[in-house]
Amino acid sequence: MRLDLGRLLRTAEHDELLRSAVRLARLTFSASAASVFLYDEDQDRLVFEASSGEGEDRLVGMALPAGRGVAGWVFETGETVLLSHVRDDPRFDREFAQGTGYVPEVLMAAPLELDDRAIGVMEVLDPAVEKFGEMAAVDLFTELATQSAIALSLMTAARSLGRQDLTPWHRLEVALSRTGASPAAVDELLNALSRFVGGT
């Protein structure tokens, strides 16, 4: 089976991977919302890259300074937290939460780490922690964040691959995939070209 390199390098596939991760976190905990922040090193800020649930249509692209709020604290310390009364916690940035349009009562946040360094934060808002118990909920959420970080590491590797010198066939495959053509149509065309070249 031929590797679908074009699909591997498509930004849309990476975005869907992130959306799937936050949907899974939200559904697992019957939460009101879940989000992934990724660290923008150039701007030293955490940027909403994907969101599911409350506010998902307006959050992507919003950002906060890397040291601000619960997300900033988790990013800097590398610790997973469960805050049952988040509004009373001094780390909670109420102003930023109000700006998103949703102020939670309960919040869980976990670091996304790659090669022992933080690359972002995953949060769930108002999770149904009682379904699991606090310790089990934290353990499960930490595992979900670890899984998401692994997926993000593969995404990062794919983007890095996309910047390297590719064979002419691979460059053509990537270019065709970016036209919006279906993977089956791209395969058919590349196979036809391969037969044509091989027969000359």
Side-chain angles (χ1 to χ4, degrees):
M1 184 177 77
R2 186 176 59 81
L3 173 65
D4 187 352
L5 186 62
R7 183 174 186 181
L8 180 67
L9 299 178
R10 277 200 296 267
T11 301
E13 300 292 337
H14 303 164
D15 292 343
E16 182 54 34
L17 178 64
L18 284 173
R19 284 194 295 269
S20 177
V22 295
R23 278 196 302 268
L24 177 59
R26 180 177 61 81
L27 293 171
T28 297
F29 291 99
S30 302
S32 296
S35 300
V36 163
F37 297 85
L38 291 183
Y39 180 56
D40 179 342
E41 189 172 358
D42 292 336
Q43 301 292 324
D44 190 30
R45 60 185 190 165
L46 292 167
V47 181
F48 275 108
E49 290 288 338
S51 183
S52 176
E54 289 284 344
E56 66 178 63
D57 56 339
R58 60 182 179 275
L59 292 181
V60 174
M62 289 182 66
L64 73 160
R68 184 172 166 183
V70 175
W73 185 88
V74 168
F75 178 76
E76 290 186 339
T77 64
E79 294 184 27
T80 299
V81 295
L82 167 57
L83 304 177
S84 298
H85 303 283
V86 67
R87 299 182 192 200
D88 299 328
D89 193 287
R91 295 166 291 189
F92 181 59
D93 190 329
R94 187 181 184 90
E95 180 182 351
F96 181 78
Q98 287 174 331
T100 69
Y102 186 77
V103 181
E105 296 286 346
V106 180
L107 184 151
M108 276 199 302
L112 300 173
E113 295 180 324
L114 176 60
D115 297 329
D116 296 322
R117 68 179 180 88
I119 60 171
V121 174
M122 178 179 276
E123 285 188 347
V124 290
L125 308 182
D126 290 325
V129 175
E130 62 277 3
K131 288 171 50 177
F132 307 97
E134 289 192 2
M135 293 299 295
V138 169
D139 288 344
L140 178 57
F141 185 54
T142 300
E143 194 62 31
L144 282 172
T146 299
Q147 184 182 57
S148 297
I150 292 169
L152 286 167
S153 72
L154 296 176
M155 184 179 81
T156 301
R159 287 177 175 172
S160 176
L161 177 63
R163 292 190 292 268
Q164 296 175 8
D165 290 335
L166 302 175
T167 68
W169 280 110
H170 285 149
R171 286 199 300 272
L172 177 60
E173 182 180 356
V174 171
L176 289 171
S177 71
R178 288 176 177 161
T179 66
S182 71
V186 172
D187 276 348
E188 186 177 345
L189 178 57
L190 289 173
N191 288 334
L193 286 171
S194 180
R195 288 192 298 272
F196 174 75
V197 171
T200 58

